[in-house]
Amino acid sequence: MAAIPEGLLVRPARVEDIAAVAALEAQLFPDPWPRHLFLQEMGQPFRFQRVIVDHYGAMAAYLFACWQVDELHILKVATHPVYQRQGLATSLLDMALAEARRQGGRGLVLEVRPSNRSAFLLYRRLGYQVLGRRRRYYSDGEDATVMFLPVEGS
Ligand SMILES: CC(C)(COP(=O)(O)OP(=O)(O)OC[C@H]1O[C@@H](n2cnc3c(N)ncnc32)[C@H](O)[C@@H]1OP(=O)(O)O)[C@@H](O)C(=O)NCCC(=O)NCCS
């Protein structure tokens, strides 16, 4: 599993993190989830949620996922610009894969915008395969590319 850079800490997300998560989300996504959606996620069962914070407690990266039957669906993964290209998203996705394996899941599934080259390259590098497209999935009408990573041996 990819190492977290020194000085950073990974832990389960907490309700107190959501203001910082939503602020970073607003900075990084064209159609950011509002704070209440993250809060709603926090209260749900069958979830996997991690944050990476620096030694001051500032938000460096986050991942939110939910179980859909035997697949762990990556809802959100994002890294603060200051910490990008240091393996944080890779680490979070590795942890999600380990969780899926631990729980006997079949694999990880996610949607990505075809225009989001960096995210697409990240997933391809980790072995995700394109399953297909969801037409006009995003609020601005862009399609989504659906990608899947099987848990080995499942
Ligand atoms: C996509 C994103 C999550 C990647 O986070 P990250 O922590 O920088 O990713 P990593 O450091 O683990 O990247 C691993 C690999 O992915 C690929 N990659 C990541 N960002 C890339 C970029 N901007 N350009 C090209 N390749 C990129 C590279 O292969 C990279 O390996 P390398 O740095 O050794 O070349 C981050 O850019 C981000 O938060 N973007 C905005 C939010 C977003 O789009 N989230 C995904 C929605 S589907």
Side-chain angles (χ1 to χ4, degrees), residues 20-30 32 62 79-82:
V21 166
L24 187 51
E25 169 89 5
Q27 194 181 331
L28 292 175
F29 286 88
Y62 56 87
T79 300
H80 191 288
V82 164

Side-chain angles (χ1 to χ4, degrees), residues 5-149:
E6 208 172 307
L8 298 179
L9 168 77
V10 60
R11 59 167 170 74
R14 304 173 187 146
V15 168
E16 312 86 85
D17 295 320
I18 295 306
V21 166
L24 187 51
E25 169 89 5
Q27 194 181 331
L28 292 175
F29 286 88
D31 52 352
W33 274 17
R35 183 189 295 215
H36 73 85
L37 267 186
F38 284 106
L39 281 172
Q40 204 172 297
E41 278 298 302
M42 296 297 297
Q44 300 297 322
F46 307 113
R47 294 302 193 267
F48 180 76
Q49 301 157 340
R50 292 288 181 274
V51 296
I52 301 180
V53 293
D54 72 11
H55 55 283
Y56 299 108
M59 192 57 55
Y62 56 87
L63 178 145
F64 282 69
C66 73
W67 281 99
Q68 287 178 340
V69 193
D70 57 356
E71 294 174 358
L72 188 57
H73 185 177
I74 307 299
L75 301 170
K76 288 286 174 186
V77 59
T79 300
H80 191 288
V82 164
Y83 289 106
Q84 287 180 6
R85 304 302 287 270
Q86 296 177 48
L88 300 195
T90 298
S91 294
L92 289 169
L93 289 161
D94 282 354
M95 287 172 211
L97 179 62
E99 176 69 6
R101 188 181 297 117
R102 197 176 68 80
Q103 301 265 3
R106 202 172 73 84
L108 303 186
V109 67
L110 54 80
E111 288 87 15
V112 59
R113 286 176 182 266
S115 62
N116 192 347
R117 191 95 193 114
S118 50
F120 182 77
L121 289 172
L122 163 72
Y123 304 138
R124 280 296 296 271
R125 181 178 142 138
L126 293 175
Y128 287 74
Q129 300 295 324
V130 172
L131 278 191
R133 279 206 171 203
R134 289 195 213 287
R135 301 278 300 155
R136 301 185 63 81
Y137 179 78
Y138 295 102
S139 54
D140 59 5
E142 187 171 355
D143 292 350
T145 303
V146 183
M147 301 185 80
F148 181 72
L149 180 69

